[in-house]
Amino acid sequence: MLDIFDLTEVGPLTYSGGSLPHFNRRIYGGQVFGQAIVAAGRTVPADRFAHSVHGYFLRPGNLDAALTFAVEELHDGGSFSARRTHALQDGVPILSLIASFQEVQEGFEHATPMPPDVPGPEGLPSSDAIFRSSAEVARQYLAPKTAFDVRHVEPQLYLGPDPEPGTRQAMWIRAHGEMPAAADRNLRAALLVYACDQAMLEPVLREHELAWTTPGLLMASIDHATWWHRDVDVTQWLLFVQDSPAAQGGRGLGTARVYDRAGHLVASIAQEGMVRRRRPKGEAPPA
Ligand SMILES: CCCCCCCCCCCCCCCC(=O)SCCNC(=O)CCNC(=O)[C@H](O)C(C)(C)COP(=O)(O)OP(=O)(O)OC[C@H]1O[C@@H](n2cnc3c(N)ncnc32)[C@H](O)[C@@H]1OP(=O)(O)O
């Protein structure tokens, strides 16, 4: 997974990168969003780190087409730098985001505390075991090796819906493997976005008694925002405390507060997605 974040500089403010296989034959949103953050981070002073990003998934990404990241230098201030990245395939943008970077500074501090009553990851079922238990479904949906161990507090939504629907969930996540010593803070930030796209809309599914494998489900991430409050390391367990404030009109909103094991709030995330039931064959779109 780390290889696809090792972008190649192909021109001024321009980078290229590869894609990992993905089950629905489009580029995994967290991958292209994370790569676009890394591209932006390559163009800022070395002591400025991503603190927020806002972006839109404009078109489905083609796994077989070249992926180019074009960065625009929007602003370099005394302590903040802003960059726009367009991820392009065949000359058209599939993703547009603006990321902002800041020097490390002292300031006022507060954070919503980690909920006290969430069980730790050790005793919870691992996504690895669930994927291994259903070889047929796993072959259809997943690459041979998944990068993250995901452990839900509520029932997982891979094979079926939650029998007790609700808009909230808590989930632990940790990358398999190590981070290279040379990994920089902006790469670590990007890897959090990679990790989260697989679960940000789960509270929407949970509330509506849906699962990833529900037949006829149409889903795609539309937009995404992350605020990194601190340096974040996906090779250590992170707790996602998730909610869905609303779903309507074919769109659902997911939010997450992300805590490290020590209880620090390391990031806040919001993501909206298209969540629809596929129209039955032959049914015309509304006039
Ligand atoms: C062991 C077990 C493992 C199990 C399994 C594990 C899973 C383990 C978790 C993995 C989890 C990964 C999660 C990945 C999450 C991303 O990675 S998503 C990828 C990133 N996002 C994207 O690629 C989205 C890119 N953007 C777009 O594609 C477009 O901007 C949008 C959002 C589709 C909107 O475009 P648009 O042209 O305005 O689209 P629109 O006209 O609304 O039509 C969209 C679809 O809705 C349909 N539609 C339109 N109106 C309606 C309506 N009223 N009712 C119903 N349908 C409608 C259309 O027919 C169309 O259908 P398709 O032709 O696509 O089949």
Side-chain angles (χ1 to χ4, degrees):
M1 185 190 70
L2 287 169
D3 289 348
I4 53 124
F5 287 99
D6 189 13
L7 304 178
T8 306
E9 192 168 0
V10 291
L13 300 173
T14 310
Y15 303 85
S16 72
S19 285
L20 289 172
H22 189 51
F23 68 82
N24 60 9
R25 295 184 302 280
R26 64 171 69 186
I27 296 176
Y28 172 57
Q31 177 207 299
V32 65
F33 211 100
Q35 289 169 310
I37 292 165
V38 167
R42 291 270 194 98
T43 72
V44 299
D47 60 350
R48 296 191 178 189
F49 305 116
H51 69 87
S52 75
V53 66
H54 301 260
Y56 287 87
F57 297 99
L58 302 171
R59 296 176 173 86
N62 177 353
L63 286 171
D64 302 319
L67 198 46
T68 303
F69 298 91
V71 180
E72 188 181 336
E73 296 175 312
L74 297 178
H75 181 63
D76 283 305
S79 49
F80 290 84
S81 291
R83 297 290 183 268
R84 186 183 72 168
T85 306
H86 279 163
L88 303 157
Q89 288 196 304
D90 299 322
V92 294
I94 63 166
L95 168 78
S96 177
L97 64 75
I98 293 180
S100 182
F101 301 78
Q102 188 203 3
E103 291 174 8
V104 176
Q105 292 175 336
E106 297 293 313
F108 302 111
E109 280 201 23
H110 78 269
T112 306
M114 185 172 178
D117 47 357
V118 179
E122 287 76 16
L124 296 172
S126 159
S127 56
D128 290 346
I130 292 172
F131 296 156
R132 275 199 303 270
S133 74
S134 179
E136 206 38 58
V137 186
R139 226 185 338 267
Q140 187 187 341
Y141 284 92
L142 301 164
K145 232 168 133 188
T146 56
F148 291 92
D149 185 350
V150 181
R151 300 187 179 195
H152 291 78
V153 173
E154 293 79 12
Q156 306 209 29
L157 301 177
Y158 301 122
L159 301 176
D162 188 341
E164 292 179 32
T167 59
R168 296 190 179 182
Q169 73 171 30
M171 178 192 83
W172 291 94
I173 191 162
R174 183 177 68 175
H176 293 297
E178 302 293 316
M179 191 89 78
D184 66 28
R185 182 164 167 173
N186 287 326
L187 172 61
R188 289 194 290 277
L191 291 173
L192 178 70
V193 172
Y194 182 100
C196 81
D197 191 32
Q198 65 186 296
M200 283 305 297
L201 299 177
E202 284 193 344
V204 181
L205 298 183
R206 192 174 296 285
E207 171 65 359
H208 296 281
E209 296 181 66
L210 299 165
W212 286 108
T213 44
T214 300
L217 185 62
L218 268 183
M219 278 183 79
S221 313
I222 299 172
D223 57 58
H224 175 97
T226 291
W227 295 263
W228 296 271
H229 309 307
R230 292 165 180 264
D231 195 0
V232 52
D233 180 359
V234 296
T235 68
Q236 305 299 314
W237 283 115
L238 296 171
L239 174 68
F240 278 59
V241 179
Q242 296 177 248
D243 197 0
S244 173
Q248 71 298 301
R251 290 173 289 119
L253 178 63
T255 64
R257 286 183 276 128
V258 186
Y259 294 90
D260 66 15
R261 202 77 203 259
H264 298 118
L265 181 66
V266 292
S268 301
I269 309 178
Q271 182 159 316
E272 192 174 37
M274 176 184 78
V275 185
R276 285 170 168 156
R277 283 190 195 280
R278 190 177 288 284
R279 283 195 200 95
K281 271 203 169 67
E283 186 181 302

